[in-house]
Amino acid sequence: MEQRGILLESGTNELEVIAFEVGTSLFGINVMKVREIIQAPAVTPMPNSHPHVEGIIRLRDEVLTVVNLSNVLGLAPSEKPEQDKLIISELNQIKVAFRVHNVSRIHRISWEQIEKPAELSQGIENACTGIVKMDEQMILLLDFEKIVVEINPEKGINVSQVKVLGERERSQKKIVVAEDSAMLRKLLYETLSEAGYEQVTFFEHGKAAWDYLEFLHNQVGSNIKDEVQLIITDVEMPQMDGHHFTKRIKENDLLSKIPVIIFSSLITKDLYHKGKGVGADAQVSKPEIVKLIETIDQLIL
């Protein structure tokens, strides 16, 4: 399945979700992460691999790792593995094949329909970035980036990576960050602090960050650049996604002068144009934290 024909216009605060089943549960993945969906072929096991890794396959000229979502989620294995599907996904600049039991349909929804899992929720919800309530069913949006990093920690953000930049002066520049993952907010706080940027205000989605900018706009007017010198935003966030957040900033006469960096696992060649279309000043793929800091250094005034 090719995704190019169903991509939405940038900045509409909508997304398309492919719903799929693992066991009796219904999950979802953002269409922007999906390269294609194929019938599951024979998988070559890999010795001493992570328990969630089923093995590898060759798809045309590429060798891909197959992650079994039944294992990840602690659910029963497929009763009919010959009917399973592989969702070929691209995120964090790598391609991964996720084994699922069935793929149902595509839903077009607004990020406003997505709720965050409860902070104290246990079990499957801990692997989710959001919950979509549709009619009488719920679709759980899996945190695929977290799944990949747990299998291969090198694909995550590491404070030690910042040390290659050498000694840094402390900066009083004020940065706003919109990032829905609590784990990534903590890692960004640590890495930005290590890089000398300590005046950072974090928000868990674009709507909260936008409300803050609107409040500042009303309070200080044309002096807003004294309060915010740069904005960093993820793309996938409940309530308001990063593309819509960026579009709103760039459509505002006073806010538009503030540089915006999109820092996301979705910065691929095919999707780069979406960030450009909403006016982002730069786009950096997770987990390239050194490149993010170098980009901040270039843009911050």
Side-chain angles (χ1 to χ4, degrees):
M1 183 197 73
E2 288 292 334
Q3 75 178 78
R4 293 181 181 84
I6 53 175
L7 284 176
L8 297 166
E9 179 186 349
S10 298
T12 63
N13 208 37
E14 292 179 302
L15 76 157
E16 286 174 326
V17 170
I18 297 175
F20 61 88
E21 297 170 11
V22 179
T24 58
S25 298
L26 190 63
F27 301 95
I29 181 170
N30 190 335
V31 165
M32 290 196 295
K33 293 179 180 175
V34 178
R35 308 310 302 163
E36 59 184 309
I37 297 171
I38 63 172
Q39 196 70 35
V43 177
T44 302
M46 291 291 289
N48 302 317
S49 60
H50 190 281
H52 297 165
V53 173
E54 184 176 333
I56 58 173
I57 61 167
R58 179 177 288 279
L59 183 62
R60 292 182 284 278
D61 294 327
E62 292 183 286
V63 175
L64 303 179
T65 300
V66 178
V67 174
N68 191 316
L69 287 183
S70 294
N71 295 346
V72 173
L73 300 168
L75 298 174
S78 176
E79 295 180 359
K80 298 179 179 179
E82 70 279 2
Q83 296 180 13
D84 286 357
K85 302 290 191 296
L86 293 186
I87 297 177
I88 311 302
S89 178
E90 185 172 4
L91 57 147
N92 286 7
Q93 295 188 318
I94 61 171
K95 285 186 181 179
V96 183
F98 294 100
R99 179 185 286 272
V100 303
H101 299 167
N102 186 44
V103 176
S104 55
R105 53 168 292 195
I106 294 175
H107 300 270
R108 178 176 292 194
I109 59 175
S110 166
W111 283 102
E112 293 178 353
Q113 293 175 246
I114 299 175
E115 299 179 16
K116 290 284 287 184
E119 290 293 332
L120 299 178
S121 63
Q122 299 294 318
I124 287 176
E125 286 84 356
N126 283 334
C128 296
T129 59
I131 300 171
V132 186
K133 295 180 180 178
M134 302 190 66
D135 300 325
E136 297 181 355
Q137 60 183 178
M138 291 195 303
I139 300 176
L140 305 180
L141 299 180
L142 289 183
D143 191 340
F144 289 92
E145 288 80 1
K146 183 179 179 182
I147 292 170
V148 169
V149 170
E150 286 179 349
I151 293 171
N152 185 356
E154 291 182 4
K155 296 299 179 182
I157 294 172
N158 193 314
V159 180
S160 64
Q161 295 170 320
V162 182
K163 297 187 185 300
V164 304
L165 296 170
E167 288 295 321
R168 309 272 297 185
E169 292 184 9
R170 300 292 97 179
S171 171
Q172 296 305 307
K173 300 297 185 180
K174 298 174 183 177
I175 297 174
V176 165
V177 177
E179 168 59 64
D180 68 318
S181 166
M183 177 185 70
L184 282 176
R185 286 198 299 273
K186 180 176 182 293
L187 287 171
L188 282 170
Y189 169 77
E190 292 171 353
T191 50
L192 290 174
S193 294
E194 180 69 24
Y197 294 109
E198 298 177 311
Q199 304 293 314
V200 184
T201 305
F202 288 89
F203 297 92
E204 64 178 19
H205 51 66
K207 177 67 167 58
W210 174 252
D211 290 344
Y212 174 69
L213 293 177
E214 273 200 315
F215 168 78
L216 290 179
H217 184 282
N218 293 333
Q219 292 292 310
V220 302
S222 59
N223 294 322
I224 194 166
K225 284 210 70 177
D226 295 335
E227 303 300 323
V228 182
Q229 282 86 51
L230 185 129
I231 298 164
I232 301 169
T233 180
D234 189 16
V235 171
E236 292 187 294
M237 297 180 289
Q239 299 301 309
M240 184 185 293
D241 74 358
H243 286 141
H244 187 67
F245 178 44
T246 302
K247 184 178 181 182
R248 282 200 171 187
I249 293 167
K250 294 305 180 180
E251 287 177 346
N252 182 288
D253 288 343
L254 292 179
L255 298 175
S256 63
K257 304 298 189 295
I258 301 173
V260 177
I261 302 172
I262 294 178
F263 185 53
S264 167
S265 63
L266 296 175
I267 309 301
T268 62
K269 289 181 180 179
D270 287 343
L271 297 174
Y272 186 85
H273 72 280
K274 293 179 74 69
K276 195 171 181 180
V278 294
D281 295 271
Q283 300 180 74
V284 180
S285 176
K286 293 175 180 175
E288 294 184 354
I289 191 66
V290 171
K291 184 176 178 182
L292 174 65
I293 292 166
E294 289 173 344
T295 306
I296 295 171
D297 292 345
Q298 293 167 7
L299 291 176
I300 206 158
L301 301 175

